[in-house]
Amino acid sequence: MLAVTLAVPATASANPWASINSLPLCVSDTLPAATTATDDTTVPSGWRNAAVNVNLQGTGEQGFEWKIDCGTTQTGATANISGTGTHSFLHRAQETGTGNWTGWVEDFVYVDTTLPVDTSTVPSGWQHDKATITLSGTDIGDQSGVSHMVYNL
């Protein structure tokens, strides 16, 4: 995996390259492919409320490489993914004997460590008749959302 920056003209003017926008990209490398190694790594599905440890697994492999959010290439059989948000997790296995790599596999890991906020409205003071209470909540940062509200009378 190679991190590159794509430069594109910012405007369609007489000299479009006078102002440039750059976009970061991850590009796969083209080394000989592994023929017997497999990368059988699975990541947890859905949102998690704490950092996630991913145990890389495969057959016919002598090691793993992985990246989080197209960052620096790491090695090892365990990756720790933390921080609230949707994370791109790229990983591959190195074949025993040849040293060739499987293709990069991209999975997504979802972490939301921010507690939702109760935005319910309740009338103040004593009520002498029926009282209307509106239950509602919000997820700060609009990550995993609020799945349900629980109340007790």
Side-chain angles (χ1 to χ4, degrees), residues 16-94:
W17 295 102
S19 179
I20 297 175
N21 287 340
S22 62
L23 306 168
L25 299 172
C26 288
V27 180
S28 294
D29 44 25
T30 56
L31 299 174
T35 56
T36 60
T38 62
D39 181 346
D40 304 321
T41 303
T42 57
V43 300
S45 62
W47 287 92
R48 300 290 181 232
N49 63 1
V52 174
N53 283 324
V54 177
N55 295 314
L56 290 97
Q57 301 175 9
T59 58
E61 51 74 25
Q62 65 186 26
F64 295 95
E65 286 186 337
W66 46 270
K67 296 178 182 218
I68 300 170
D69 297 330
C70 208
T72 304
T73 301
Q74 305 289 319
T75 59
T78 303
N80 180 273
I81 303 171
S82 62
T84 295
T86 300
H87 300 282
S88 167
F89 178 59
L90 294 159
H91 52 93
R92 67 181 182 171
Q94 187 177 34

Side-chain angles (χ1 to χ4, degrees), residues 46-52 81-87 109-117 138-147:
W47 287 92
R48 300 290 181 232
N49 63 1
V52 174
I81 303 171
S82 62
T84 295
T86 300
H87 300 282
V109 177
Y110 305 94
V111 178
D112 185 356
T113 58
T114 306
L115 295 174
V117 175
T138 187
D139 182 26
I140 298 192
D142 196 24
Q143 299 296 321
S144 60
V146 177
S147 66

Side-chain angles (χ1 to χ4, degrees), residues 9-19:
T11 61
S13 65
N15 183 5
W17 295 102
S19 179

